[in-house]
Amino acid sequence: MAGRLSQEVKSEPNLTPILDMVFQLITFFMLVINFKSAEMDLSLKLPVVGSARPVETHGQRGLLVLNIDHMGNLKNYGGVVQNVELYIAREAYASRLAAHIESDDKEAAQDLPTTIVIRADQATPFKMLNRVIKACQDNGFRKFALKAVNKEA
Amino acid sequence: MARRRKRRVQSDVELNLAAMLDMAFQLLTFFILTFRPAPIEGQISLRLPPPQAVVVTKDAQKAGQDTKNTNPVQGVNTLTISVFADPQSGTIKSLNVGETQVPGLAALGGKLKEVFADPGNPFDQVIIQVSDTCRYDELMRVVDVCTRQVLPDGQKLSKLSFVEVPSG
């Protein structure tokens, strides 16, 4: 009986289609990624309000997002802001500076162009919320947007 | 001199795609792990000036000078709504429009509609006096009712101010 020669056969899969698919997936995720959501505290349970409108960014020169939890803590990028008044005063200074740079009218910066976006938990007592609102008003912020959801999730 | 003939050897150049695929998978993993779809949120846009009643005066007119004005609130274009909350639960206990008590949010809507529909009423901004224990969602229900109101000039009411009232 004749002996068989064992031949080594190299099997190389064609990786091109899988690479194409992976690149398509990467493209998708790159397009839908939103780094701005990092400034939102997604653990907050927002109040349900029927007249809440979708966010309009048209004509808004700057947004300052303030997350307030049910204990009244002001949160920024996951951390609790210890001195609320100082934090808002600094933001107001930055906003005023930006307004001065953009506009030649030095007197026009009484009302700051930045919109304060308040994302407060629905169980937040008004006392805690008002502390933040008052600090904003004292520093010249007038435009506010109170975040809410249309329907119960 | 003998001419040397060069032999051209044709060989397929094969790229090693495995390394590229590894990198692509790492990128894909990063994007999948950091992917957080933004929640669908709405907002109520307001102009919140510091709370102070605004009085409309004619040129060079002093307070009390208009002797024909027998209505004490005529000329004051700020309407006051009081929201009293239960100190324990933070829910709304009672609502007042000016001095008039209203039984609930539906009645508040009706009352405000009635007030703003009257062309003789000069109100174009609202001060909401709120108990310090009132929950934010309860307050937002009142704000919701207010922002649905249309002023006599056809514009939606957006000028609100909040004042804290100690509960108890």
Side-chain angles (χ1 to χ4, degrees):
Chain A
M1 198 171 152
R4 278 189 182 174
L5 279 175
S6 64
Q7 282 186 334
E8 275 190 22
V9 180
K10 271 193 175 179
S11 155
E12 285 191 359
N14 186 6
L15 296 178
T16 313
I18 197 170
L19 197 60
D20 286 350
M21 190 200 68
V22 169
F23 272 123
Q24 282 195 25
L25 283 170
I26 289 174
T27 311
F28 167 75
F29 281 109
M30 279 174 74
L31 290 177
V32 298
I33 199 164
N34 182 13
F35 289 107
K36 271 195 171 180
S37 64
E39 66 184 4
M40 293 189 218
D41 183 357
L42 299 179
S43 66
L44 297 177
K45 213 174 168 194
L46 298 183
V48 182
V49 175
S51 65
R53 295 275 163 268
V55 178
E56 282 180 25
T57 51
H58 181 71
Q60 290 189 340
R61 285 167 69 182
L63 297 174
L64 174 60
V65 181
L66 302 177
N67 299 286
I68 305 166
D69 69 5
H70 68 284
M71 302 289 287
N73 295 318
L74 179 64
K75 287 186 168 178
N76 185 27
Y77 289 97
V80 176
V81 177
Q82 299 298 335
N83 193 337
V84 176
E85 285 76 15
L86 181 66
Y87 173 73
I88 290 170
R90 280 181 183 164
E91 290 291 338
Y93 179 72
S95 176
R96 190 163 282 121
L97 210 62
H100 273 238
I101 291 167
E102 286 175 19
S103 158
D104 292 334
D105 186 5
K106 304 291 180 205
E107 300 300 317
Q110 285 302 314
D111 287 4
L112 295 175
T114 304
T115 304
I116 301 290
V117 179
I118 292 184
R119 296 182 77 255
D121 193 280
Q122 55 186 17
T124 309
F126 177 70
K127 188 180 182 177
M128 304 298 184
L129 180 74
N130 196 38
R131 181 180 156 218
V132 176
I133 291 177
K134 206 170 167 306
C136 294
Q137 287 172 332
D138 290 346
N139 284 288
F141 293 107
R142 294 289 179 270
K143 294 180 190 167
F144 288 79
L146 306 179
K147 285 274 187 177
V149 287
N150 265 118
K151 292 177 220 164
E152 196 82 59
Chain B
M1 197 173 151
R3 211 173 179 185
R4 271 200 284 176
R5 289 181 74 186
K6 275 188 183 174
R7 261 195 185 174
R8 275 194 180 173
V9 183
Q10 278 195 338
S11 62
D12 285 342
V13 178
E14 284 190 5
L15 289 171
N16 185 8
L17 293 179
M20 199 173 189
L21 195 61
D22 284 351
M23 188 203 67
F25 269 120
Q26 283 191 23
L27 278 171
L28 186 61
T29 312
F30 167 77
F31 282 114
I32 289 173
L33 291 178
T34 56
F35 179 63
R36 271 196 297 178
I40 301 166
E41 292 178 359
Q43 66 182 30
I44 295 180
S45 298
L46 297 172
R47 185 172 168 75
L48 297 180
Q52 51 189 5
V54 178
V55 183
V56 181
T57 53
K58 292 167 194 163
D59 293 340
Q61 184 188 352
K62 288 179 185 170
Q65 203 178 19
D66 188 2
T67 51
K68 289 176 187 170
N69 181 5
T70 52
N71 183 354
V73 295
Q74 194 179 337
V76 180
N77 63 353
T78 307
L79 181 68
T80 308
I81 298 173
S82 306
V83 182
F84 300 106
D86 184 76
Q88 301 302 320
S89 63
T91 53
I92 294 173
K93 204 164 62 177
S94 67
L95 284 165
N96 282 33
V97 177
E99 296 294 314
T100 317
Q101 189 167 2
V102 285
L105 284 168
L108 174 69
K111 180 73 181 168
L112 290 178
K113 208 172 205 173
E114 188 186 306
V115 169
F116 288 115
D118 183 1
N121 267 315
F123 303 122
D124 67 351
Q125 68 170 4
V126 168
I127 287 183
I128 306 179
Q129 296 182 327
V130 194
S131 297
D132 56 3
T133 54
C134 183
R135 283 168 58 105
Y136 178 55
D137 56 347
E138 295 286 311
L139 172 65
M140 284 297 277
R141 287 167 63 199
V142 177
V143 172
D144 183 28
V145 172
C146 292
T147 51
R148 285 173 193 268
Q149 304 307 316
V150 181
L151 298 173
D153 61 359
Q155 289 195 332
K156 286 228 167 189
L157 176 68
S158 64
K159 268 192 196 171
L160 299 178
S161 300
F162 299 118
V163 177
E164 190 180 320
V165 179
S167 60

